[in-house]
Amino acid sequence: MKVTETFEGIALPGHLHTQESLGFAAAFTFRPTDVLIATYPKSGTTWMQEILTLLYSLGDARPAKTIPNWERAPWLEQIYCREALRDTESPRLLTTHLPAHVLAPALQRSKAKVIYVARNPKDVAVSFYHFHHLAKFLPDPSSFDAFLTQFLEGTVHYGSWFEHVKGWLGQRHLLDILYVTYEEMHQDLRGTAQRLSSFLGCPLAPGTLAALEQHCSFSAMRDNAMANYSLIPAEIMDHSQGRFMRKGVVGDWRSHFSPEQNALFNRRYQEEMGDVELPSQWPMA
Ligand code: A3P
């Protein structure tokens, strides 16, 4: 098995992807009722999968407690999700980390809805660094400083955060797409769920918001084996090296970044994002 699979300029973990599985995703036939969660890694993907599961089950937590998240919202591009993709009934929840340029043609041909979740990239970098210790399908990150350099250069697996975000923001007039941030989910989960419900045309049943708030809390998800990836075998995720549900906070970068790293990051962010028109609730510090 290859450690790295490169597809359309993006390096991806070879343990989870093949050229065939990536080609399958790029040529995917979306249904009009499909809802695709698109994210750069560590941006709140699993949280969004859980929220949408609860919205569509009208607040019934049983599916989220009995079916693993990768079967409830299978990944388009991963080799392990093909059966779940085939078997899921409409409306399907789907998930991807692929960049917009790979999926945009298939999405533009469809009426599928897209929810793009973004997170402050400083917190993404910290979360991704820690995740590299437990995810055996990612390279050894060595020091945080070395990892941060690679993150800013876009040479980490899954490519550049800047390109990913800019690519999906560039689809705002071309797709039926909603932009949500990790930070707004943190600040106002109920409000986010209401925004999702009106975008999806999925009415809120009485009690859904209360159930969603309880079930999608960090502590409930940390203890839910169907959401916390503890079912994944140690050769793929070494749980002795850390938890997938690690801290779940906003601003953890402050305890990791030196003033020099922060200044470098801010310069790079400005170079890449300075001219980009951002949604109003954008989170950057
Ligand atoms: P941390 O490593 O900062 O704790 P993804 O699902 O995209 O891989 O993102 C994982 C990140 O989302 C992890 O961040 C994880 O703890 C956080 N997360 C998942 N569920 C959460 C929740 N209910 N509340 C807050 N953070 C959550």
Side-chain angles (χ1 to χ4, degrees), residues 223-253:
D223 297 340
N224 179 8
M226 299 297 150
N228 65 16
Y229 284 98
S230 57
L231 299 176
I232 299 290
E235 62 269 22
I236 301 178
M237 276 193 207
D238 183 352
H239 304 285
S240 70
Q241 298 301 308
R243 286 175 160 200
F244 181 90
M245 299 291 296
R246 190 182 62 90
K247 271 196 182 172
V249 298
V250 170
D252 196 30
W253 66 269

Side-chain angles (χ1 to χ4, degrees), residues 168-184:
W168 282 103
L169 285 177
Q171 294 295 316
R172 73 174 78 191
H173 302 301
L174 302 168
L175 298 178
D176 194 5
I177 183 165
L178 181 75
Y179 299 97
V180 178
T181 66
Y182 178 92
E183 288 73 12
E184 73 179 296

Side-chain angles (χ1 to χ4, degrees), residues 59-71:
D60 181 351
R62 279 173 298 182
K65 283 185 176 162
T66 52
I67 306 169
N69 53 1
W70 61 88
E71 287 180 20

Side-chain angles (χ1 to χ4, degrees), residues 5 11 14 26 35 48 57 63 71 89 97 120 124 148 165 167 175 184 190 196 204 212 222 245 249 266-268 285:
E5 202 64 62
V35 177
M48 184 55 76
S57 71
E71 287 180 20
E89 286 173 14
H97 282 328
N120 184 329
V124 170
L148 195 60
V165 167
L175 298 178
E184 73 179 296
R190 279 181 175 242
L196 288 164
L204 287 166
L212 190 147
R222 187 193 53 207
M245 299 291 296
V249 298
N266 288 344
R267 267 201 309 280
R268 188 90 187 93

Side-chain angles (χ1 to χ4, degrees), residues 8-27:
E8 301 228 7
I10 304 293
L12 294 152
H15 288 68
L16 307 178
H17 309 88
T18 57
Q19 290 299 315
E20 195 276 331
S21 77
L22 292 159
F24 173 85

Side-chain angles (χ1 to χ4, degrees), residues 132-148:
H132 275 64
H133 289 109
L134 99 135
K136 297 289 111 191
F137 49 85
L138 291 169
D140 180 350
S142 69
S143 69
F144 179 65
D145 196 58
F147 180 78
L148 195 60

